[in-house]
């Protein structure tokens, strides 16, 4: 299946579609229910918050899509500190409303686990609900692995508990888990550089963007 799935870089015109795709995949998960307990608001809030990060990845990372627009990866190039999205606090409040504190807490807990060394952050891997188990996620991970091997940087991500087995097939190993208060458990995972990264260390004098880090669905 991997060889039959065509993958391309997303264009600016794709950003809203990508946000909706991720929100659709995330919507039925326990994490989504924890972030937005109100089911009537959940889908819209998720799409609006994810849209902030999809747009940010257009400037500070990359987005890849399957040819049929059913699956996507969103990642950030953290070779050095990157700024938060423009007007992030205002935009998050507008997008999440009374649920913004939940996203803030997720930010904080994930930031405590994220590496400070230069790395690639796989923020989202999402497959549309009606296309899951069709091989698109596997194809995207194979594509992701080949790109990581070329840039020769470690990679970091966080997945819902139970999702770590697929990532393990692509070189990721688990790190200490994160349990959200009265909520689900997330599993941070790391993939070492294939030959050891020669990138320069992050300058600790510069602020690091540790906002909402994303997850896989």
């Amino acid at each position: 299946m991997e060889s039959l799935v065509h993958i391309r870089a997303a264009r600016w015109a794709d950003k809203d579609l990508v946000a909706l795709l991720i929100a659709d995949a995330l919507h039925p998960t326990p994490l989504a229910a924890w972030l937005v307990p109100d089911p009537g608001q959940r889908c819209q809030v998720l799409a609006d918050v994810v849209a902030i990060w999809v747009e940010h990845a257009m400037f500070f990372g990359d987005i890849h899509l399957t040819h049929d627009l059913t699956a996507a990866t969103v990642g950030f190039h953290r070779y050095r500190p990157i700024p938060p999205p423009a007007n992030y606090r205002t935009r998050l409040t507008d997008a999440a409303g009374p649920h913004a504190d939940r996203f803030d807490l997720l930010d904080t807990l994930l930031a405590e686990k994220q590496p400070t060394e230069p790395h690639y952050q796989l923020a989202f891997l999402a497959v549309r609900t009606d296309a899951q188990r069709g091989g698109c996620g596997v194809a995207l991970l194979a594509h992701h692995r080949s790109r990581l091997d070329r840039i020769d940087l470690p990679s970091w991500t966080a997945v819902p508990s139970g999702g770590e087995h697929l990532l393990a097939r692509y070189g990721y190993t688990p790190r200490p888990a994160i349990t959200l208060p009265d909520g689900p458990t997330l599993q941070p995972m790391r993939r070492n550089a294939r030959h050891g990264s020669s990138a320069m260390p992050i300058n600790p004098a510069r602020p690091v963007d540790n906002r909402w880090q994303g997850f896989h669905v």
Side-chain angles (χ1 to χ4, degrees), residues 201-213:
I202 288 178
N203 180 356
R206 297 184 63 186
V208 177
D209 166 24
N210 283 323
R211 304 293 183 174
W212 190 44
Q213 307 297 320

Side-chain angles (χ1 to χ4, degrees), residues 154-178:
S155 179
W156 184 88
T157 190
V159 298
S161 181
E164 61 270 24
H165 305 295
L166 178 59
L167 273 293
R169 291 169 51 189
Y170 293 87
Y172 283 87
T173 57
R175 293 296 185 262
I178 300 169

Side-chain angles (χ1 to χ4, degrees), residues 41-95:
Q41 298 182 20
R42 189 173 300 148
C43 188
Q44 188 63 57
V45 169
L46 291 172
D48 289 347
V49 174
V50 169
I52 298 171
W53 290 99
V54 169
E55 178 184 302
H56 200 49
M58 291 283 184
F59 297 103
F60 294 99
D62 54 59
I63 300 172
H64 288 86
L65 284 165
T66 56
H67 68 287
D68 58 1
L69 308 180
T70 60
T73 56
V74 177
F76 290 94
H77 305 155
R78 295 187 179 273
Y79 308 126
R80 58 184 61 83
I82 63 176
N87 303 313
Y88 179 69
R89 171 50 48 193
T90 298
R91 295 172 70 187
L92 178 62
T93 301
D94 289 345

